[in-house]
Amino acid sequence: MQVTMTVNGDEVTREIEPRLLLVHFLRDHLGLTGTHWGCDTSNCGTCTVQMDGEPVKSCTVLAAMAGGHEIRTVEDLERDGVLDPVQQGFMEEHGLQCGFCTPGMLMTARALLDENPDPSDDEIRTAISGQICRCTGYTTIVRSVRWAAEHPAEVTP
Ligand code: FES
Ligand code: FES
């Protein structure tokens, strides 16, 4: 079957098998390997992308279901060499350790801040509750999202 969707602002059309998951469509068909694939059981959240602005675990979405929708991946956060505040925040506050969970954390944090620019730490923790960090350092991740909330203008293009 054929599927057409918008990915990071570009319309893409590909021939796919109906059973193909969105995470594999992004990684294997489009080469967008910034979206990680960690568990395939919808637990870890590292495959999180935005679909129409909402964070979704791309291993729970068939590529066919994403047809006609707008997908945003971690590759779209940096623009013309300027990092998104959430990326900058993870650098400033050491929010990434091994980095495997980071793409999902970043896309979840971006969606949170788009909806709620000044979240409390509890709201940040609730937003990332579907994201598992195997390195277990959630404190610095929460601080990183807080940094991004407090510095929206300094690094936004
Ligand atoms: S790979 Fe999708 S939730 Fe883990
Ligand atoms: S930084 Fe290693 S899994 Fe989160």
Side-chain angles (χ1 to χ4, degrees):
M1 65 176 290
Q2 200 174 66
V3 67
T4 298
M5 69 185 82
T6 302
V7 179
N8 298 337
D10 294 326
E11 188 175 283
V12 296
T13 300
R14 293 289 188 281
E15 195 66 36
I16 60 165
E17 287 190 43
R19 63 178 179 162
L20 183 71
L21 296 173
L22 180 59
V23 62
H24 299 310
F25 179 76
L26 294 170
R27 290 177 54 86
D28 301 340
H29 287 247
L30 303 185
L32 296 172
T33 53
T35 299
H36 289 167
W37 178 41
C39 68
D40 213 10
T41 56
S42 78
N43 282 308
C44 74
T46 194
C47 64
T48 300
V49 300
Q50 291 177 7
M51 185 153 85
D52 300 331
E54 295 291 328
V56 296
K57 294 179 177 179
S58 60
C59 74
T60 66
V61 178
L62 291 168
M65 292 163 62
H69 292 277
E70 297 214 3
I71 304 299
R72 191 178 187 205
T73 72
V74 70
E75 284 87 351
D76 198 47
L77 288 180
E78 172 260 318
R79 297 270 175 90
D80 298 325
V82 179
L83 296 180
D84 186 282
V86 293
Q87 293 173 306
Q88 190 73 28
F90 271 64
M91 286 175 57
E92 298 289 340
E93 299 291 345
H94 312 290
L96 101 177
Q97 296 158 95
C98 82
F100 193 78
C101 72
T102 307
M105 291 286 184
L106 291 172
M107 297 315 289
T108 301
R110 182 71 269 149
L112 169 68
L113 295 181
D114 285 347
E115 189 180 303
N116 178 3
D118 187 25
S120 66
D121 284 2
D122 278 352
E123 287 172 325
I124 295 171
R125 286 183 182 278
T126 298
I128 64 168
S129 59
Q131 317 294 126
I132 293 175
C133 178
R134 297 291 184 194
C135 297
T136 70
Y138 293 97
T139 299
T140 56
I141 292 171
V142 172
R143 271 195 217 137
S144 300
V145 180
R146 160 73 32 220
W147 188 98
E150 291 171 352
H151 299 80
E154 292 184 19
V155 287
T156 300

